[in-house]
Amino acid sequence: MTQRNGASPPDVIEGRIYAAEQIPPLDLQAMFRVIWHGKWLIIGATLLMVTLAGFYAFRIVPPQYAATATLKMDHPTPGAGVSLPPDASDTALNTKVAQVTSDPVLTNVITDLDLLADAEFNRYLSPPGPFAIRTLRTQLRHLLAGTSEQAPDADAIREKTIQNLRSALSVTRQPDTYILHITARSGDPQKAARLANATAAEFLDHSNALHMDATMEAETWLQSRVNELREQLETENMQAAALIATAQLQEGSGLDTLSAQVLAADQDLIAIRNALATREITPQNSSVRDAAEIAQMRNRVAELAALKERLSAQLSAQSAGLAQLHQIQLQAEATRQLYQTFLARLHENRMQQGLNTPNTAQITPATDGAFVGPRKILILIVAIMLGATAGILAVIILHNTRKGAVDARSLRDATGLPVFAQFSTGAMRRLRKGRRAFPLPSQSALSVAGRNLLTALVLRSQGGTAQVVLSTSSVAAEGKSQQAIALAHAWAKTGKRVVLIGADGGDTVLRSVIGPGLFQAAREGWSSEESMPRDAGLGADILVVPDRGDDQVAITFETVSERLQDLRKIYDHIIIDGPPVLHDPDALVFAHHADAIIYAVRWSKTPLSIVQRGLEILNDIGSPVSGLVLTKVNLRKMRKLSDDPCIAAIHTIQAI
């Protein structure tokens, strides 16, 4: 992505103007400052995670020990004309690895070691508590499936024990070797060794049994095959002998003689036929002698033709019989070779069976198991990393989700209004003393904050007189009453005649400061023409606006306007502790008659959107706020949360 220069002119693309947006740089210093200020949260999260992980690793998780037994699988050495058997392939070796944890092997191990009576593998012997994770998981599974828990039978218990034993075993093959490692885990080092050795022994027995079964099956098959081939060979030999006897087959020289006789008879037949044809066409054949010779020659032709036919038939029969005999002999030879091959394999199988050499052997038995878990140091390291990460995420989330103003500069930037003063929590804590809080020492934090507010308000008025001052806020508990009391006290100490009007019936701060008796008199003085009650410690007169529920006094816009007009003639300054703008519409009535409005905003608590909504309401009625006051400030936290470099130099509450 190309970053455009913010000072360059906008780009015009297809008639539309796209303003270049400057990508803000990543402020690493501010990010590390936020993390540093939240270091105690990060440290706390880390310590909590380490504590939980340590309790889990050292107290909850039982120790685990591992013992390993080593097996070696025999294999033939390849030589000239000898190829490796299938057992030498990776597939066969992996099959051996899978056979170690097969059900037949593990069933024998369970029987030999009586693991059905061991609670470590037969967990039905020690049922979990009603609030254990396993119990809750089982109940949830039955609830989702709509079933009820049934008592397990013997087969289910054995099957579950096999599963638990299989999970405690691991089988590995050393690369490029015929070595198998059988590792067993248990909470007892001696039990781990027994499990590994028993598994190795049962696998050897199972492997040897399979080997013997395969050998016996091979012998049975080879024996049956040899018998079949022997019977077939005998049958073929008998067929050849019977063919020779019945057909009277001759050897190769006799067949040649017979062929020569057929050829000679054929030649004699041709010669006598030619001579007969010559005599029959000569003119001397009319004599008796010639007729006798011709008749004799014709008889000779018939004899030679019969002899040729007989010899030809005999030759054909001898040829067909020899061909059939040759075919039978070829089949017999093939059967004889198969017979000899299977007979040799049968003898070899019997020799191997007699030797009874297993194809797997145990070369190293397992000893007492070594400690393998839990890896406590690793768990603690992971816990530290997770705790620190969780703490950093919490700090970042809290920082990004904080909606209130953390310093005066951010409040001024969000609202566009000046911040007259800041009231710290320490300064406002003095008002908890009630009537004993006044008179204030001149160097107290609350007195200094009041003077700062007074100075800022006078300077804001540019020499004019802010006779009626309204102290309000967006919502309740923002500290508006405290700032109104501090301002009244500061103005009274300058020699001015000041009256403090309590117009927020839901706020009890003013009641606690002046006392219940004076508070009741001040309420009655709102509608009385007599002199107002005065609080000597505060140095100002007090008036309290009755609640709207008081039927004896009607609070209307006209009555407020008339009362304030009368008070303007008597007092130099009238300070109104008004209700919150968003809670009570009476705040707008007092705001309409006020010369200046001071708006209280609680530090890092009140969302800026709420503050802006209250300011908008006052602007809509034509009574804009003169300035803001940041109340209930925690100076120590403000130095941590604020990115204003001037905040670090602030050690006391001062005007901004």
Side-chain angles (χ1 to χ4, degrees):
M1 179 177 180
T2 303
Q3 181 175 354
R4 298 180 178 177
N5 187 2
S8 62
D11 296 337
V12 180
I13 302 176
E14 297 180 358
R16 299 180 180 180
I17 298 179
Y18 296 89
E21 297 181 359
Q22 186 175 2
I23 301 177
L26 180 62
D27 193 351
L28 295 178
Q29 184 177 2
M31 181 178 67
F32 285 117
R33 185 187 301 114
V34 171
I35 295 176
W36 173 253
H37 290 331
K39 59 182 178 295
W40 293 114
L41 178 58
I42 298 174
I43 293 174
T46 304
L47 291 178
L48 177 61
M49 190 66 69
V50 169
T51 301
L52 295 176
F55 182 76
Y56 172 79
F58 289 91
R59 298 297 299 272
I60 296 180
V61 179
Q64 290 290 317
Y65 300 89
T68 302
T70 304
L71 300 180
K72 174 183 176 296
M73 291 179 292
D74 294 339
H75 63 94
T77 302
V82 179
S83 60
L84 290 176
D87 283 349
S89 64
D90 289 339
T91 302
L93 294 175
N94 293 332
T95 303
K96 291 288 187 183
V97 171
Q99 287 178 352
V100 175
T101 56
S102 61
D103 285 355
V105 175
L106 298 186
T107 300
N108 293 334
V109 173
I110 291 174
T111 303
D112 293 343
L113 300 181
D114 194 18
L115 296 183
L116 291 177
D118 191 344
E120 183 177 357
F121 297 96
N122 185 6
R123 297 174 183 173
Y124 292 104
L125 297 177
S126 56
F131 299 103
I133 297 178
R134 189 172 65 179
T135 302
L136 297 178
R137 184 177 63 246
T138 303
Q139 293 178 353
L140 179 61
R141 182 171 62 250
H142 287 299
L143 180 62
L144 295 177
T147 60
S148 59
E149 186 175 1
Q150 303 292 334
D153 55 6
D155 294 337
I157 294 175
R158 181 176 295 276
E159 182 65 25
K160 189 63 177 178
T161 306
I162 291 176
Q163 294 178 7
N164 295 334
L165 177 59
R166 183 179 289 113
S167 63
L169 296 174
S170 61
V171 184
T172 57
R173 180 172 67 89
Q174 189 172 344
D176 301 329
T177 65
Y178 296 89
I179 304 299
L180 295 183
H181 298 289
I182 302 176
T183 303
R185 290 174 175 265
S186 177
D188 185 359
Q190 297 179 354
K191 185 191 296 184
R194 291 196 300 269
L195 287 173
N197 291 328
T199 304
E202 292 298 336
F203 170 69
L204 290 178
D205 294 341
H206 180 70
S207 179
N208 294 335
L210 292 178
H211 179 70
M212 292 299 299
D213 292 342
T215 303
M216 294 299 296
E217 290 179 0
E219 180 181 0
T220 303
W221 182 79
L222 289 173
Q223 184 64 53
S224 62
R225 187 60 176 160
V226 166
N227 294 335
E228 292 175 358
L229 292 174
R230 184 170 60 248
E231 294 176 358
Q232 183 178 353
L233 181 60
E234 293 176 355
T235 302
E236 291 173 351
N237 290 332
M238 293 176 62
Q239 290 177 354
L243 182 62
I244 294 174
T246 55
Q248 297 180 357
L249 299 179
Q250 299 180 4
E251 299 294 336
S253 58
L255 187 62
D256 293 339
T257 302
L258 185 60
S259 298
Q261 292 176 358
V262 172
L263 180 61
D266 184 61
Q267 292 176 355
D268 293 342
L269 180 61
I270 294 173
I272 195 63
R273 285 179 176 175
N274 291 334
L276 177 62
T278 302
R279 293 294 301 271
E280 288 180 346
I281 64 175
T282 57
Q284 295 86 4
N285 56 3
S286 60
S287 63
V288 176
R289 184 178 178 181
D290 290 337
E293 289 179 357
I294 291 173
Q296 186 179 2
M297 292 178 68
R298 288 177 177 175
N299 292 334
R300 182 62 178 169
V301 169
E303 292 176 357
L304 289 175
L307 177 61
K308 177 184 176 183
E309 184 177 357
R310 185 174 65 254
L311 292 175
S312 297
Q314 186 177 0
L315 180 61
S316 298
Q318 289 289 330
S319 299
L322 287 176
Q324 184 178 2
L325 178 61
H326 183 66
Q327 181 67 28
I328 294 175
Q329 289 176 348
L330 289 178
Q331 293 180 356
E333 183 63 25
T335 303
R336 182 178 292 105
Q337 291 180 0
L338 287 175
Y339 171 75
Q340 292 175 354
T341 301
F342 280 98
L343 185 61
R345 290 189 178 182
L346 177 61
H347 291 162
E348 182 182 356
N349 185 75
R350 287 178 177 177
M351 291 178 62
Q352 291 180 356
Q353 185 177 358
L355 295 175
N356 194 18
T357 302
N359 59 356
T360 306
Q362 183 174 0
I363 59 177
T364 304
T367 58
D368 289 349
F371 180 82
V372 294
R375 303 178 65 179
K376 301 177 182 178
I377 302 300
L378 179 61
I379 292 176
L380 293 180
I381 292 175
V382 173
I384 292 174
M385 297 175 61
L386 292 178
T389 303
I392 293 174
L393 290 177
V395 170
I396 294 175
I397 292 174
L398 290 176
H399 179 77
N400 292 332
T401 56
R402 185 177 292 108
K403 299 180 180 180
V406 295
D407 55 23
R409 187 178 67 174
S410 62
L411 181 59
R412 180 188 58 201
D413 294 341
T415 60
L417 295 174
V419 180
F420 286 165
Q422 296 180 131
F423 283 76
S424 67
T425 55
M428 301 178 73
R429 191 180 299 116
R430 182 177 179 84
L431 294 181
R432 297 179 183 177
K433 297 181 179 181
R435 301 187 64 182
R436 295 182 291 107
F438 293 94
L440 293 176
S442 59
Q443 298 301 322
S444 65
L446 185 60
S447 179
V448 173
R451 292 198 301 270
N452 291 336
L453 177 58
L454 175 59
T455 302
L457 180 60
V458 172
L459 293 177
R460 180 66 175 177
S461 301
Q462 297 180 356
T465 302
Q467 187 176 9
V468 179
V469 179
L470 172 65
S471 176
T472 185
S473 61
S474 298
V475 293
E478 294 287 280
K480 59 177 182 58
S481 298
Q482 290 89 332
Q483 76 179 15
I485 294 173
L487 180 61
H489 180 69
W491 239 327
K493 292 186 69 174
T494 61
K496 302 292 184 177
R497 294 193 64 187
V498 180
V499 60
L500 177 61
I501 301 176
D504 186 6
D507 199 325
T508 60
V509 176
L510 183 60
R511 181 195 297 267
S512 63
V513 169
I514 65 178
L518 186 59
F519 186 84
Q520 183 63 29
R523 174 177 292 180
E524 296 174 355
W526 170 258
S527 57
S528 175
E529 298 296 334
E530 300 177 357
S531 60
M532 294 25 163
R534 184 179 184 81
D535 185 276
L538 187 60
D541 294 342
I542 306 297
L543 283 180
V544 175
V545 179
D547 297 335
R548 283 187 174 273
D550 192 349
D551 297 335
Q552 298 179 357
V553 180
I555 305 300
T556 62
F557 182 85
E558 290 77 9
T559 57
V560 171
S561 178
E562 294 175 358
R563 189 57 171 153
L564 289 179
Q565 289 296 332
D566 295 339
L567 294 177
R568 283 177 182 271
K569 300 175 183 178
I570 302 174
Y571 294 96
D572 298 324
H573 299 285
I574 303 169
I575 301 173
I576 305 174
D577 177 16
V581 174
L582 301 181
H583 286 180
D584 194 340
D586 288 347
L588 305 181
V589 176
F590 292 103
H592 180 76
H593 297 88
D595 300 326
I597 300 176
I598 304 174
Y599 207 88
V601 178
R602 187 172 179 178
W603 174 83
S604 186
K605 184 70 174 180
T606 307
L608 293 176
S609 60
I610 300 297
V611 176
Q612 292 171 350
R613 177 63 61 85
L615 297 178
E616 291 174 357
I617 292 176
L618 293 175
N619 287 330
D620 291 341
I621 65 171
S623 300
V625 173
S626 302
L628 307 175
V629 175
L630 200 58
T631 62
K632 300 183 179 181
V633 177
N634 188 321
L635 289 178
R636 180 179 61 83
K637 291 185 177 181
M638 184 174 66
R639 297 189 190 101
K640 294 180 179 180
L641 299 177
S642 175
D643 56 356
D644 188 354
C646 298
I647 296 299
I650 298 178
H651 297 285
T652 58
I653 298 299
Q654 60 185 14
I656 297 181

